[in-house]
Amino acid sequence: MFEGTEDGSPEEIELRIGAVLTNLPIIRSLAASIAMRADFDLDSIADLRLAVDEACSTLITQGAPDAALTCAFRVSVDEIRFVVTVPSTSDAKPSSDSFGWRVLTTLTDHTATWVDGPDDPNSQADTHLVHIELAKRRTEGLPG
């Protein structure tokens, strides 16, 4: 069973990768590996893998040209929290009315999205950071 770091704090893993659909298998594999290492059950691993794929796919379509996704996993004893961020020229957050959003909310225990203003207030560029956060909790009553 996953126990976090030596001092008991959650483990954090971050991946920065080009915001292109061909990189999705790498992100999905990392999500599944993290969940397996944390001893999540097979259904939870599959749910997390699909949710991470959907979140990243959604942000890839909103990314600025040549943008990179920043994927951060925070692993604790009872949950895996995932935040994916992409720079975008749009200040629109992903639609909560879309089919993809319904998939995310069905597969996870927590889902949120938000947009931060331009990266640098002094910059002429109108770049925003679009975020999706999700969490998958360990299934209660089942081992690992």
Side-chain angles (χ1 to χ4, degrees):
M1 174 176 288
F2 180 81
E3 297 180 17
T5 60
E6 287 181 19
D7 66 358
S9 62
E11 181 178 27
E12 295 185 17
I13 300 153
E14 185 172 293
L15 171 68
R16 189 171 153 79
I17 193 164
V20 293
L21 294 173
T22 55
N23 285 334
L24 286 175
I26 296 167
I27 303 166
R28 282 193 310 263
S29 293
L30 179 59
S33 294
I34 289 169
M36 281 187 261
R37 183 171 169 251
D39 204 24
F40 275 56
D41 65 79
L42 292 176
D43 288 337
S44 294
I45 293 168
D47 288 351
L48 180 66
R49 184 179 165 135
L50 185 56
V52 164
D53 181 86
E54 185 60 40
C56 291
S57 297
T58 298
L59 289 193
I60 286 170
T61 63
Q62 288 193 242
D66 300 320
L69 289 177
T70 301
C71 304
F73 295 87
R74 184 177 173 102
V75 186
S76 62
V77 173
D78 60 344
E79 90 172 359
I80 297 173
R81 189 163 293 265
F82 174 72
V83 179
V84 60
T85 305
V86 72
S88 177
T89 55
S90 169
D91 64 352
K93 64 182 184 177
S95 171
S96 60
D97 294 330
S98 69
F99 175 75
W101 193 257
R102 291 190 202 313
V103 168
L104 287 175
T105 58
T106 300
L107 296 174
T108 61
D109 299 297
H110 163 79
T111 309
T113 185
W114 68 96
V115 178
D116 292 331
D119 291 339
D120 180 358
N122 300 320
S123 171
Q124 297 299 323
D126 197 21
T127 303
H128 302 270
L129 287 178
V130 183
H131 309 266
I132 293 178
E133 177 183 60
L134 54 91
K136 184 68 178 170
R137 294 189 188 102
R138 186 176 306 283
T139 305
E140 292 184 36
L142 295 176

